[in-house]
Amino acid sequence: MFRFILRRVLWMIPTLLLLTFVVYCALRLATNPLASYARSNPRIAKQPEKMQQYIETNGLWDGFGGYVRGYFHWLRGFLTGNWQPSIKGSRPVWPNLKQALINTVRLGIVASMVAIPIGLAFGVFAALKPGKLRDSAVNTGALIGFSVQPFISAVLLQLTFAVLWSKWFGSPLLPTSGMYPPGHEGFDPVLMLKYMTLPIIVVSIQTIAAYSRYMRASLLDVLSSDYLRTAKSKGISDRRVLIRHALRNALVPIVTLAALDVGSIVGGLIITEAIFEYPGMGKFFLTASANGDFPELMPWMVIVTTSVIVFNLLADLSYAALDPRIRLD
Amino acid sequence: MSTTRRGTKIAALALSFAFIAAACGSDKAAAPSATTAKPVATTAAPAGTEAPADTTAATEAPADTTAATEAPADTSTADTATTGTEAPTGTAAMRITYDISDKAVWDDASPITADDFICAYNAIMNTVGSLSTTGYDQILKIAAGDSDKQVVVDFKTVYAPYRGLFGAGTLIKHDAVKNCNDVSGDFQTEFPFSNRPYKLQSWDTSQSVFVPNENYFGVDKAVTPKVVIVPKADQETEISALLAGEVDFIYPQFSPETADAVKGDPNIKVAITLGGDFEALYFQQQDGPFADPILRQAFAQSIDRDALFQQIYVPIFDGPLLNCGPIVPGKYCADAFKDTYDPAAAEKLLTDNGWAKNGDGFWAKDGTAPEIRWMINAGNSRRENTQAYLIPLLQAAGFNVVADNCEAECVFQKRLPSLDYDLGMYISTAPPDPQYLTSSFTCDQIPTAANEFAGQNSQGWCNKDASALLTKADATIDPDERAGYIKQAIDLMRKDWVLLPTFQFPKSGLYNSTKVGGPVEADLNNFEAFLNFNQWTDVDGDGQIVIGAEQWPGCLNPITECANSSWYVWTIAFPLVMGVYDTTNDGDYVLTPMMASEPVVEIL
Amino acid sequence: MPRSTQGFDLTDLQIPPLEHIAVTDASIGILKESISPKKMAFKRFMHHHAAVVCTVVLAFIVVFVALAPITTRYGVNESIFKAEAGIPNQNLAPRAAAWFGTDANGRDLYSRMIYGAQISLLIGLFTAIVSVALGTLVGAYAGLKGGKIDDVLMRVTDIFLALPLLVVLVIVRGALKNVDWVVAIMGDPGSVRFLVILLSVIGWMGVARLVRGQVKQLKEREFIEAARAVGASTTRIMFRHLLPNAVGQIMVALTFAIVGAITAEATLSFFGFGPDAGSGLTSLGLLIRDSKKAVPPGYWWLVVYPCGLLILISLCINFIGDGLRDAVDPKMLQDS
């Protein structure tokens, strides 16, 4: 077990290096940081020596060799905390990125805490009477949930709860955008939850749909497994005992999936954040990519991919820890 | 077991490495390299760069307004950015003496002096950034006069558009920055001074907060204790926020959807005025099919601008068709582009010059029917609709027109500057002074190696007479004489078919009258936009006015790249720093209370 | 190693975790008993009523869309009549002249929805075919060979599938459109071809994982062992024995690949990275992009019809996929 963890953790390093290198190449191509910089600073762009200086400072050499060299240049700067300032505004990247990260994690955690239990409850509800009306109802509901894309539900919710509501009842029920009302300063959890409500609903629709299906499938799987049949045949007839026993086993893969999902929260709420003006990672990504802001996008990608990889590892570990049948090595 | 696994993983890594190497290596030939990439001035964006309307991503597209004002530097002049503070030599042709009011002080009560003018001049000339140096590069010498409340500026040429110099948003409080010659490190997240009714209390990516400047010296003091400006991703979000009561005032580009959206709410007031924004079709005539004046003229005469107007623009706002040229109605407009539609004449012109329709029904000469590439920024639905409407009609008229669109960045930063299109369509903003015509339509502004491809004349139009007229206009102080030259130059544009103007875009302000009152509508047509918000009243008594902004500045620096974004100047620079003149709602200049008297202009 | 035992279908791509989450129960239910006579599968599919209804509805939509010039009333960019001052044709509510109303340019929404659905379905179909073909080959080969190839595949797809789809698409699109020879192959970034290739470049991975998992199980079975024992070549085993037996799973993957591609197109279009509307075509994604503008003024028809059609199409395909999966892998129903 320990060896397994150690090996996996050690393997994360080359994986991360390789991955950031791929991302580095893709972003160099996609955003062309030099062109973005020249565009933002037309007067500098006219001075070849200044541009050359920018290239040297930031390692923006051309060609594959240049990319490799530039990557290591970037990596050194990144690891030593010597990050390039953003192209737009020449501001340090970290303060904004940190704030965005906190905001997104906050939204993601709250949404998961609301949506996953609901989804699981639906799944159990459906799996207890497979093939019956409640099962098809949950199944149909889940498929409808999948088919309603977040951008559709977001737009419709905004329309209903803000615009139409205020037309019908004089004042809107829920705010449509932002994290706090304009002019607000400081931390206020109640106000923040109010502003988060609509984004949470949008995220929840698909999460509930997914987890109800995960849970239903997993529980059915366990209920039909041999050891439960054996238990049944041996005369353990208390249905509640069976279910409790089955539930515990059915949750094993769910925990794994939840770990994977949590890992992708960090970069995964783009659509919702964009529509609700929520100042999180998704918004950060869209703004930075619209500006072609390479120095902002790289750390973003590093954080998102690291989170994905780390939670992949945690998922594997949790799977091993929870399921006695799995032996790591 | 575990050793083999390790082996495979190493192999896997190596393999993917090779794969990536192949992928990245391709870049060498493809992506513009550092040496070949031609820098493009942000100011170049022949405006029109309203953010691609539908992408929520576009929070900060290079904006139009200032693009035209701070207009395009005369790029062929010496590299002013590295000359330091030493003034260029030569004899002065014009001298302007500015007298600053004794009452004029910054928000910390320190007096506004000649040093602040000199600091602004040095910052503009010497900070490597993007603010255009046009006009300032004509300054030979700037110094304090009889007292530190007087500034004497010598120009090497007569510079008629001098009212645009040291305007709103340009002065820099000399002791607020470390080094006036390089302010690129300042103004990171704060704007540390103000001489307007409000000062900036805080700014971040989600809001900026203004509070009254206690030391404001003017009479129009701040009325509301707090003004908050918040970003909204796009018009729909803005309107939703207004309807939901989250913001009190918005300033969108007008659309029919806007009017319909607020129709049901009696508290929302819509104020519309026709401002300096105009849209036009432009013909790139340096090379390609429109290098042929016959085809160009015939094509232009085949566009039924009235019908286009009815189809696309009347639903937006039932105003008149724009006939002025690259300028809005006013003292420089003589309706030069009236009655351009004449399909019979077009057909005759082509037939007389050896053109004939080929098997596909397209006009062809010597067996070839040239393909006309029409470029717009993808995602702007109005322009997409215009293409969808006009292209079938033009094809029916025998012109082989195809849509050849790309994203805003590609249009305004890449293809316009490299003249890589045949027909273009975009919005520009005409500032009060027509000086921008010189930088957009003269021969030496065609992007070439000589101006390092930063010239603004992306139509590639070169008419020596017109260039001479425009240049002369800029050195003519007498307003009527100047207007005469400009009208003559615009006549030449019509004669050479440089563009077809279509529409003067309305500017609109929408506000909730139960939340904000006072002269909200008074300044909407102003180049400096809703600058008078200090006089607006807080009707609902919540102690603040909330303004929704369509784009959000990435930084607060008035000299570097942010200076070229209209939402930056509207929401930060203009409301915080007054200069010698302010613009008025009628498109004119007015002296600010900072000045003791009208500047004295002497031709030497 | 739970991830390696899970097949990930394309819905993974359609729905990145949390915001969009995969219908991965196929992946959880380990596919033990997948080979059954086609007739049995067909019977089981017919038993899934919702899937049958959806097949009929979808077939109806497809026929309607395929007969486009006959079933439409106006051209894709044709106004319902020439507008004059005072007689507008823009944003009209549904009426006899325009059953679903008109858009901001006076065009008939009903006709545009048919043309839009045509493009969306084409994108969905072509993307699905390309990604399934590619994914099947790669997945089957990797599953059969195992070892290094398999490892590379798992590593690469692990990461790509874990990153948010929109981010991957935006970055890959950005990179591809800046490489000249790629653009020469893929066409203009605003073209349908570019979009199909872009979506396929990402889309094959989910299929590959699914097929790989399937093949890994099949290969342990007696008949494959037997084939191997008599010296059949890898290619022969793959095409003669493995793929025919995995065809049910591949069909399921294809279904989800179609719906994945359709929603991916809509998402990209919504954010302005979709096909170019100026070139005269439209798609469901573009129509929905326009519908956003119609929300505040309350032009409900511009919102309800296109969004409804997209939901209907993806719901139908999801149901069909669900039915197919039950038909192919009846395990879920057995215990009831």
Side-chain angles (χ1 to χ4, degrees):
Chain A
M1 182 72 183
F2 176 74
R3 269 192 60 198
F4 171 80
I5 296 176
L6 189 70
R7 204 170 67 216
R8 283 296 302 266
V9 169
L10 286 180
W11 266 109
M12 268 175 57
I13 295 165
T15 313
L16 262 178
L17 285 180
L18 179 70
L19 198 67
T20 46
F21 179 69
V22 178
V23 167
Y24 180 88
C25 289
L27 282 179
R28 280 286 306 271
L29 266 173
T31 58
N32 196 349
L34 200 60
S36 301
Y37 181 71
R39 202 158 47 237
S40 286
N41 301 280
R43 279 169 59 194
I44 294 180
K46 280 178 226 157
Q47 304 167 47
E49 72 280 8
K50 284 261 164 65
M51 287 308 279
Q52 192 56 38
Q53 193 189 331
Y54 187 76
I55 292 173
E56 296 293 334
T57 325
N58 296 306
L60 303 175
W61 299 285
D62 262 323
F64 181 63
Y67 278 17
V68 175
R69 206 176 135 206
Y71 171 72
F72 285 109
H73 184 96
W74 169 85
L75 189 64
R76 193 181 322 125
F78 181 81
L79 293 177
T80 53
N82 187 14
W83 294 14
Q84 297 170 29
S86 68
I87 287 178
K88 190 108 197 163
S90 309
R91 274 179 300 129
V93 173
W94 177 240
N96 279 345
L97 187 59
K98 187 179 76 180
Q99 200 49 51
L101 183 63
I102 293 172
N103 290 343
T104 290
V105 169
R106 205 179 267 158
L107 174 63
I109 298 287
V110 176
S112 307
M113 281 182 351
V114 171
I116 294 182
I118 298 179
L120 295 184
F122 274 122
V124 173
F125 180 71
L128 289 183
K129 292 264 172 67
K132 294 282 159 26
L133 180 67
R134 54 159 75 168
D135 188 19
S136 5
V138 169
N139 192 33
T140 310
L143 281 182
I144 292 175
F146 282 130
S147 305
V148 180
Q149 291 300 305
F151 51 88
I152 296 179
S153 55
V155 167
L156 292 179
L157 284 172
Q158 275 189 337
L159 176 71
T160 317
F161 286 107
V163 179
L164 290 182
W165 201 280
S166 109
K167 204 173 268 176
W168 297 330
F169 303 104
S171 72
L173 184 65
L174 290 165
T176 53
S177 59
M179 205 166 75
Y180 285 118
H184 179 87
E185 279 162 75
F187 180 73
D188 181 343
V190 177
L191 212 50
M192 197 176 67
L193 267 181
K194 190 176 165 195
Y195 272 74
M196 269 193 204
T197 308
L198 288 184
I200 287 175
I201 294 175
V202 170
V203 175
S204 296
I205 289 178
Q206 303 231 322
T207 312
I208 292 173
Y211 277 83
S212 70
R213 282 177 68 94
Y214 291 160
M215 190 63 201
R216 174 185 175 276
S218 181
L219 192 56
L220 283 181
D221 194 35
V222 172
L223 284 174
S224 68
S225 62
D226 296 339
Y227 73 95
L228 268 192
R229 284 172 203 263
T230 316
K232 227 187 268 182
S233 67
K234 279 189 176 163
I236 301 179
S237 55
D238 188 344
R239 207 172 145 70
R240 282 167 57 199
V241 172
L242 279 177
I243 301 244
R244 198 188 303 155
H245 202 72
L247 264 183
R248 197 189 301 154
N249 284 308
L251 277 173
V252 169
I254 304 283
V255 169
T256 310
L257 281 167
L260 292 177
D261 282 349
V262 169
S264 34
I265 281 178
V266 167
L269 305 175
I270 297 191
I271 298 173
T272 312
E273 286 182 7
I275 295 178
F276 290 104
E277 298 276 316
Y278 189 85
M281 294 290 275
K283 199 91 187 30
F284 186 95
F285 171 80
L286 286 176
T287 310
S289 69
N291 293 337
D293 211 321
F294 179 78
E296 286 191 326
L297 285 170
M298 270 316 283
W300 188 93
M301 287 300 303
V302 172
I303 289 178
V304 169
T305 46
T306 310
S307 151
V308 166
I309 291 177
V310 167
F311 278 90
N312 263 357
L313 174 63
L314 288 181
D316 284 359
L317 294 179
S318 70
Y319 199 65
L322 292 172
D323 191 337
R325 290 171 298 181
I326 304 280
R327 206 167 49 82
L328 297 170
D329 214 58
Chain B
M1 176 69 186
S2 81
T3 43
T4 37
R5 273 196 75 82
R6 189 167 305 153
T8 55
K9 277 179 183 164
I10 290 169
L13 283 172
L15 250 167
S16 11
F17 231 98
F19 168 73
I20 295 146
C24 291
S26 65
D27 155 68
K28 207 169 189 176
S33 71
T35 42
T36 56
K38 286 308 165 207
V40 175
T42 311
T43 48
T49 47
E50 343 93 274
D54 304 315
T55 56
T56 31
T59 43
E60 254 264 57
D64 7 300
T65 345
T66 28
T69 15
E70 316 292 2
D74 176 10
T75 48
S76 50
T77 54
D79 179 12
T80 44
T82 52
T83 49
T85 40
E86 55 186 276
T89 50
T91 48
M94 181 172 95
R95 168 173 293 168
I96 302 181
T97 309
Y98 297 98
D99 284 301
I100 306 166
S101 162
D102 288 335
K103 288 184 298 179
V105 289
W106 295 107
D107 58 329
D108 64 353
S110 65
I112 298 170
T113 65
D115 284 340
D116 302 322
F117 277 69
I118 296 168
C119 182
Y121 167 76
N122 284 331
I124 291 168
M125 293 303 289
N126 303 331
T127 300
V128 279
S130 69
L131 190 65
S132 158
T133 57
T134 301
Y136 299 101
D137 55 10
Q138 300 301 315
I139 293 176
L140 204 55
K141 183 165 162 261
I142 176 168
D146 301 335
S147 74
D148 63 358
K149 282 284 185 182
Q150 188 180 65
V151 194
V152 181
V153 183
D154 286 350
F155 292 79
K156 53 186 170 194
T157 54
V158 175
Y159 187 66
Y162 67 89
R163 286 185 183 83
L165 300 178
F166 301 110
T170 28
L171 288 194
I172 291 178
K173 185 167 182 282
H174 69 278
D175 52 6
V177 294
K178 283 186 256 3
N179 175 6
C180 290
N181 286 313
D182 182 3
V183 297
S184 60
D186 298 281
F187 306 99
Q188 293 280 350
T189 53
E190 47 164 26
F191 202 105
F193 52 87
S194 166
N195 62 358
R196 292 274 199 198
Y198 282 102
K199 60 185 178 184
L200 187 65
Q201 185 191 47
S202 70
W203 176 89
D204 61 34
T205 50
S206 60
Q207 63 181 14
S208 39
V209 179
F210 292 83
V211 292
N213 168 6
E214 304 300 339
N215 288 314
Y216 179 60
F217 51 87
V219 286
D220 50 341
K221 293 195 190 304
V223 173
T224 308
K226 193 159 143 189
V227 173
V228 183
I229 304 182
V230 290
K232 294 289 157 197
D234 49 34
Q235 267 189 35
E236 297 84 66
T237 326
E238 268 186 317
I239 292 164
S240 304
L242 181 72
L243 287 170
E246 288 166 25
V247 301
D248 305 345
F249 171 85
I250 57 173
Y251 191 59
Q253 196 180 69
F254 195 69
S255 72
E257 286 83 5
T258 316
D260 277 9
V262 299
K263 220 164 38 189
D265 191 334
N267 295 327
I268 308 275
K269 303 280 179 247
V270 186
I272 305 168
T273 53
L274 287 170
D277 298 351
F278 63 92
E279 192 155 49
L281 297 165
Y282 294 87
F283 303 107
Q284 187 279 111
Q285 43 197 274
Q286 194 173 52
D287 44 38
F290 287 148
D292 178 352
I294 303 293
L295 182 69
R296 192 166 74 231
Q297 178 173 348
F299 184 87
Q301 287 181 327
S302 302
I303 294 178
D304 187 350
R305 283 164 64 234
D306 278 305
L308 172 69
F309 190 74
Q310 294 295 345
Q311 185 65 40
I312 302 291
Y313 296 106
V314 165
I316 297 176
F317 180 67
D318 198 358
L321 179 68
L322 180 67
N323 286 321
C324 294
I327 202 148
V328 293
K331 62 183 169 194
Y332 303 104
C333 171
D335 280 349
F337 285 80
K338 234 161 69 185
D339 305 324
T340 53
Y341 181 51
D342 194 347
E347 196 159 342
K348 185 169 182 304
L349 182 70
L350 286 170
T351 322
D352 288 352
N353 285 279
W355 291 75
K357 283 195 178 172
N358 67 8
D360 299 329
F362 292 134
W363 290 106
K365 194 179 186 179
D366 310 325
T368 52
E371 187 184 77
I372 296 159
R373 297 172 302 142
W374 182 353
M375 175 187 70
I376 60 163
N377 55 320
N380 180 306
S381 43
R382 183 184 63 256
R383 291 183 196 132
E384 286 169 352
N385 287 344
T386 309
Q387 286 188 325
Y389 169 74
L390 266 187
I391 288 178
L393 296 179
L394 286 166
Q395 285 177 338
F399 296 97
N400 186 9
V401 188
V402 294
D404 184 18
N405 307 336
C406 60
E407 286 141 44
E409 179 185 318
C410 150
V411 168
F412 296 108
Q413 319 290 354
K414 211 162 109 192
R415 290 186 53 190
L416 273 179
S418 58
L419 273 57
D420 181 14
Y421 70 101
D422 301 319
L423 179 62
M425 180 186 188
Y426 45 83
I427 287 190
S428 312
T429 297
D433 196 284
Q435 192 272 339
Y436 70 97
L437 293 173
T438 316
S439 35
S440 306
F441 293 99
T442 50
C443 294
D444 57 1
Q445 289 296 326
I446 297 175
T448 57
N451 56 34
E452 285 167 304
F453 297 94
Q456 311 286 296
N457 182 349
S458 43
Q459 293 69 244
W461 176 55
C462 181
N463 180 317
K464 293 274 184 306
D465 296 341
S467 297
L469 281 166
L470 288 171
T471 315
K472 198 152 95 188
D474 279 353
T476 306
I477 298 283
D478 179 71
D480 293 333
E481 196 185 340
R482 191 171 177 217
Y485 293 143
I486 285 169
K487 285 180 188 166
Q488 288 176 41
I490 292 176
D491 275 339
L492 290 173
M493 291 183 197
R494 153 83 193 240
K495 212 172 117 270
D496 286 351
W497 300 100
V498 180
L499 77 161
L500 285 179
T502 53
F503 188 51
Q504 182 184 9
F505 246 90
K507 286 186 190 287
S508 60
L510 282 76
Y511 61 100
N512 187 331
S513 58
T514 62
K515 292 182 160 266
V516 60
V520 180
E521 302 183 14
D523 254 354
L524 298 180
N525 199 16
N526 197 328
F527 185 67
E528 292 171 9
F530 42 88
L531 186 67
N532 67 344
F533 65 72
N534 59 304
Q535 300 168 43
W536 300 358
T537 53
D538 172 28
V539 176
D540 62 344
D542 63 352
Q544 63 182 21
I545 293 172
V546 184
I547 296 173
E550 222 163 88
Q551 294 164 16
W552 203 240
C555 57
L556 299 183
N557 198 308
I559 305 295
T560 57
E561 73 268 22
C562 288
N564 287 307
S565 138
S566 50
W567 279 95
Y568 165 73
V569 289
W570 289 341
T571 60
I572 301 289
F574 290 169
L576 289 176
V577 181
M578 75 167 68
V580 176
Y581 292 97
D582 269 335
T583 53
T584 69
N585 206 38
D586 316 322
D588 221 329
Y589 287 105
V590 60
L591 204 64
T592 62
M594 192 184 89
M595 304 306 293
S597 57
E598 184 80 26
V600 181
V601 180
E602 301 160 81
I603 308 293
L604 302 174
Chain C
M1 305 288 285
R3 292 278 282 187
S4 53
T5 54
Q6 291 162 22
F8 269 70
D9 52 36
L10 248 200
T11 24
D12 256 322
L13 295 177
Q14 167 206 351
I15 317 167
L18 263 191
E19 191 146 44
H20 326 244
I21 289 171
V23 192
T24 30
D25 48 10
S27 21
I28 295 173
I30 294 165
L31 315 161
K32 285 181 200 152
E33 306 289 335
S34 53
I35 315 142
S36 46
K38 280 177 198 149
K39 270 188 187 164
M40 284 288 289
F42 180 71
K43 245 185 176 171
R44 277 194 299 266
F45 183 78
M46 293 308 283
H47 194 70
H48 197 302
H49 298 298
V52 176
V53 172
C54 280
T55 314
V56 175
V57 172
L58 191 70
F60 184 71
I61 294 175
V62 169
V63 169
F64 219 69
V65 160
L67 295 174
I70 302 167
T71 45
T72 58
R73 306 176 69 199
Y74 303 89
V76 60
N77 285 313
E78 190 186 344
S79 305
I80 61 165
F81 55 79
K82 193 171 184 309
E84 302 287 340
I87 323 168
N89 62 7
Q90 295 88 359
N91 296 321
L92 298 178
R95 62 195 58 218
W99 293 333
F100 288 178
T102 64
D103 69 0
N105 207 27
R107 293 169 295 192
D108 178 31
L109 182 64
Y110 163 78
S111 307
R112 283 175 69 73
M113 272 169 60
I114 292 177
Y115 286 112
Q118 199 173 37
I119 297 288
S120 285
L121 286 172
L122 281 179
I123 290 177
L125 199 63
F126 279 112
T127 307
I129 290 173
V130 176
S131 15
V132 168
L134 203 65
T136 304
L137 286 181
V138 176
Y141 191 73
L144 203 56
K145 277 283 178 185
K148 294 169 195 169
I149 303 282
D150 197 25
D151 232 26
V152 173
L153 178 78
M154 294 314 287
R155 291 282 134 194
V156 171
T157 52
D158 246 359
I159 302 303
F160 270 97
L161 293 180
L163 290 177
L165 175 70
L166 190 61
V167 171
V168 174
L169 285 177
V170 167
I171 291 177
V172 172
R173 180 180 184 274
L176 292 180
K177 79 178 162 68
N178 283 345
V179 182
D180 283 345
W181 63 264
V182 172
V183 172
I185 296 168
M186 293 177 66
D188 184 78
S191 67
V192 171
R193 177 163 51 135
F194 188 97
L195 204 60
V196 167
I197 300 180
L198 174 70
L199 293 177
S200 307
V201 162
I202 312 292
W204 67 269
M205 297 181 198
V207 183
R209 293 184 70 114
L210 185 79
V211 172
R212 171 192 170 277
Q214 182 73 5
V215 164
K216 278 209 128 159
Q217 284 165 20
L218 283 175
K219 114 178 155 175
E220 306 304 326
R221 296 172 58 120
E222 293 81 358
F223 69 102
I224 303 285
E225 300 273 337
R228 201 175 291 232
V230 300
S233 69
T234 309
T235 329
R236 193 180 160 82
I237 293 179
M238 195 162 115
F239 284 101
R240 276 301 171 87
H241 302 291
L242 283 180
L243 292 184
N245 279 299
V247 78
Q249 290 297 326
I250 294 172
M251 285 282 289
V252 175
L254 186 77
T255 330
F256 289 123
I258 294 176
V259 73
I262 290 176
T263 34
E265 183 275 329
T267 312
L268 282 177
S269 295
F270 190 81
F271 284 93
F273 302 109
D276 182 4
S279 60
L281 56 82
T282 191
S283 72
L284 285 180
L286 288 173
L287 289 173
I288 289 170
R289 182 198 73 176
D290 290 345
S291 84
K292 198 164 135 240
K293 277 200 174 49
V295 168
Y299 305 143
W300 57 269
W301 57 95
L302 290 174
V303 184
V304 170
Y305 294 123
C307 289
L309 184 61
L310 179 71
I311 294 177
L312 183 67
I313 290 180
S314 40
L315 188 64
C316 279
I317 304 180
N318 271 331
F319 261 123
I320 294 172
D322 207 40
L324 273 178
R325 189 156 47 195
D326 283 354
V328 171
D329 174 28
K331 188 169 153 293
M332 300 288 167
L333 301 175
Q334 274 174 1
D335 203 49
S336 47

